[in-house]
Amino acid sequence: MPRWVIVLLVVVGASVVLAPVGLLVGFMYVYGENHADMRDPAEDVSVARCAVDPVTRRPVAELTVTSQAARTGTYHLMIDFQDRDGRFVETVRPAVEDLAPGATGRAAAVGRWPYEGVGLRCVVMEARFASTEPVGTASP
């Protein structure tokens, strides 16, 4: 077999193997660049107070949200009430609506049932941000 045929086979074979690898590396690079400044909305949420209401005996979490988002939007939260050992008691889903960039909002997460346990923990399990500002109007 002529030497040029062997070289051609090696070049074609290498291209078949390396082309998908190159595309994958390129995709990963672009994906990383596009998502480099993204942050988790849960970083904007803190539990200001976690207690059992003395009258109703229901668990209550007072939440503070300070928006670090680039535009106005709503924070959809999922708060778990847990006993002092971390066992699940109840989940509540409050929201802080139309919070401007840099603004601070408050929400109360109130359980539906009385809590008779000892000790209470309020844990932010999830926070999602949904922009309420029309596309093309966000400030840079």
Side-chain angles (χ1 to χ4, degrees), residues 1-47:
M1 187 176 312
R3 180 174 271 169
W4 68 270
V5 172
I6 295 172
V7 170
L8 182 63
L9 289 174
V10 168
V11 168
V12 170
S15 297
V16 168
V17 171
L18 294 178
V21 171
L23 288 173
L24 180 62
V25 168
F27 171 79
M28 290 171 53
Y29 173 76
V30 170
Y31 182 85
E33 289 293 312
N34 286 340
H35 295 85
D37 294 329
M38 289 188 74
R39 38 184 280 102
D40 184 358
E43 295 175 24
D44 298 348
V45 181
S46 62
V47 178

Side-chain angles (χ1 to χ4, degrees), residues 39 41 43-46 64-69 75 99-100 102-105:
R39 38 184 280 102
E43 295 175 24
D44 298 348
V45 181
S46 62
T64 302
V65 180
T66 302
S67 179
Q68 300 299 316
Y75 284 81
L99 195 59
T104 297

Side-chain angles (χ1 to χ4, degrees), residues 36-97:
D37 294 329
M38 289 188 74
R39 38 184 280 102
D40 184 358
E43 295 175 24
D44 298 348
V45 181
S46 62
V47 178
R49 181 173 167 264
C50 181
V52 176
D53 183 273
V55 176
T56 65
R57 301 297 305 155
R58 297 189 310 179
V60 178
E62 293 176 6
L63 308 164
T64 302
V65 180
T66 302
S67 179
Q68 300 299 316
R71 29 182 195 228
T72 300
T74 297
Y75 284 81
H76 300 276
L77 310 172
M78 183 171 85
I79 309 302
D80 268 8
F81 294 115
Q82 301 173 355
D83 68 9
R84 69 175 171 199
D85 297 324
R87 287 187 294 257
F88 174 80
V89 173
E90 182 176 0
T91 296
V92 180
R93 297 179 183 270
V96 177
E97 297 181 355

